[in-house]
Amino acid sequence: MKKILISTIVLQCLGYVALSNGRAGADTVKVDPANVKTSFLKEGTNRYLVYFKKGKDSSRVSYQMWTRQIAFSEYAGKKAITVTQEWEDNAAVVHKVTSVSDRQTFAPLFHDTWWKGRGSASFDFTKKAASLNNTPLTDADTLKGKKQMFDAFQVALKENYILNWHLDLEVFPILPYQANRTFLINFYDPGFGVPKYQEYTVTGSDVLETYENQKVDCWLLTHTTPGGKEVFWISKKTREVLKLEQEFRGSYRYKIKLGFSV
């Protein structure tokens, strides 16, 4: 009986050690101004080919070209980074947006957006003012869409630190990567829902073969949602987002960074 008791205690201790080690290995970083590094962002133009598949092995459909230009700037007396985006399909430009972020923290300062068929919206985080189709949004708005947009913006203004979800391809390069690390990012997409912490986990590494048989060592950054999953390939050297594979209920979307375009 004594031997059984000793064995039980030993097993319990070993189990506790294993559990403790598992907890110690859990690496979760709540992203804040102290752990972002905007120096990974370089001035210049980046282009992405975006397309969809109805199944993993189906043909590609609904092509778009996304042009994203990064420039160092100033806004409201602060050093800033301005990202301008233009999305086009085979017939027309469908989306334009200018986003200005603090150069050190990458927190949003200004966001001006236009969608084909939807119109324009503007969000000034320094002046705490927003508009929809050139009409100011206020707490007097009763129309459901306007009220939700205004209320979400008010919540965003009260947050200590948020990042612009519309700039995810520029946010991911500035994160402090390590294997098995999970990032908690307080993302807000101006004009849509309230800020919400999203989990992105470094789930491994992979090598992408690019032009002239160059092999690029990448982090795999994974984000899951009910019914969906995104995996980003991010260069370990330059931190550029080189590829996205997004699955949602059997359909797929891809973003591929182009080495050059005209």
Side-chain angles (χ1 to χ4, degrees), residues 10 20 32 44 53-54 107 160 179 181 186 197 227 239 248:
V10 170
S20 299
D32 61 28
K53 286 185 176 184
K54 294 181 180 179
N160 289 327
R181 172 169 285 179
N186 195 12
Y197 278 96
R239 301 290 179 86
F248 186 75

Side-chain angles (χ1 to χ4, degrees), residues 94-215:
V94 296
H95 179 47
K96 289 184 177 182
V97 58
T98 299
S99 307
V100 185
S101 306
D102 185 271
R103 196 181 301 184
Q104 182 173 351
T105 68
F106 213 58
L109 301 175
F110 179 76
H111 186 83
D112 185 77
T113 180
W114 169 86
W115 290 91
K116 182 182 178 182
R118 300 185 200 175
S120 62
S122 181
F123 302 84
D124 193 319
F125 293 83
T126 59
K127 295 180 180 178
K128 300 183 178 181
S131 66
L132 179 64
N133 292 321
N134 299 315
T135 300
L137 292 172
T138 70
D139 58 3
D141 289 318
T142 57
L143 191 66
K144 184 178 179 180
K146 285 187 174 183
K147 179 172 175 54
Q148 289 178 340
M149 193 178 293
F150 176 80
D151 289 346
F153 182 54
Q154 297 307 303
V155 172
L157 291 175
K158 292 181 175 68
E159 295 287 304
N160 289 327
Y161 182 66
I162 58 174
L163 287 167
N164 188 340
W165 208 351
H166 215 68
L167 298 180
D168 58 346
L169 299 186
E170 288 75 34
V171 167
F172 298 147
I174 68 178
L175 303 178
Y177 285 87
Q178 284 189 19
N180 302 315
R181 172 169 285 179
T182 294
F183 299 113
L184 292 179
I185 307 174
N186 195 12
F187 264 142
Y188 169 59
D189 197 346
F192 295 92
V194 299
K196 184 179 179 181
Y197 278 96
Q198 304 289 336
E199 289 189 6
Y200 289 81
T201 300
V202 182
T203 52
S205 298
D206 192 21
V207 175
L208 280 181
E209 188 168 322
T210 62
Y211 300 99
E212 297 181 341
N213 299 318
Q214 294 185 39
K215 292 178 171 57

Side-chain angles (χ1 to χ4, degrees), residues 209-252:
E209 188 168 322
T210 62
Y211 300 99
E212 297 181 341
N213 299 318
Q214 294 185 39
K215 292 178 171 57
V216 181
D217 195 13
C218 295
W219 294 113
L220 296 179
L221 186 67
T222 301
H223 176 236
T224 58
T225 57
K229 176 179 165 182
E230 295 177 310
V231 180
F232 297 86
W233 278 253
I234 298 167
S235 167
K236 291 184 179 180
K237 181 179 179 180
T238 66
R239 301 290 179 86
E240 298 169 282
V241 179
L242 300 179
K243 175 184 173 182
L244 160 70
E245 180 181 271
Q246 179 181 10
E247 179 185 2
F248 186 75
R249 295 177 181 172
S251 295
Y252 292 82

Side-chain angles (χ1 to χ4, degrees), residues 26-153:
D27 185 4
T28 299
V29 172
K30 186 176 180 181
V31 176
D32 61 28
N35 51 39
V36 298
K37 193 173 181 180
T38 58
S39 59
F40 277 105
L41 297 176
K42 308 300 181 185
E43 287 189 295
T45 300
N46 301 305
R47 288 188 174 89
Y48 288 82
L49 176 64
V50 182
Y51 57 85
F52 294 79
K53 286 185 176 184
K54 294 181 180 179
K56 185 77 171 180
D57 299 318
S58 71
S59 58
R60 297 166 181 82
V61 295
S62 303
Y63 291 87
Q64 288 188 345
M65 182 74 73
W66 290 11
T67 300
R68 307 169 79 98
Q69 187 171 25
I70 299 173
F72 298 146
S73 59
E74 287 194 6
Y75 186 80
K78 295 182 178 180
K79 289 185 177 181
I81 298 174
T82 297
V83 180
T84 55
Q85 300 183 52
E86 183 174 274
W87 304 3
E88 54 188 309
D89 60 19
N90 64 328
V93 173
V94 296
H95 179 47
K96 289 184 177 182
V97 58
T98 299
S99 307
V100 185
S101 306
D102 185 271
R103 196 181 301 184
Q104 182 173 351
T105 68
F106 213 58
L109 301 175
F110 179 76
H111 186 83
D112 185 77
T113 180
W114 169 86
W115 290 91
K116 182 182 178 182
R118 300 185 200 175
S120 62
S122 181
F123 302 84
D124 193 319
F125 293 83
T126 59
K127 295 180 180 178
K128 300 183 178 181
S131 66
L132 179 64
N133 292 321
N134 299 315
T135 300
L137 292 172
T138 70
D139 58 3
D141 289 318
T142 57
L143 191 66
K144 184 178 179 180
K146 285 187 174 183
K147 179 172 175 54
Q148 289 178 340
M149 193 178 293
F150 176 80
D151 289 346
F153 182 54

Side-chain angles (χ1 to χ4, degrees), residues 2-16:
K2 186 176 181 181
K3 288 182 179 180
I4 294 174
L5 181 60
I6 292 173
S7 297
T8 302
I9 293 172
V10 170
L11 288 172
Q12 288 177 340
C13 289
L14 288 174
Y16 176 78

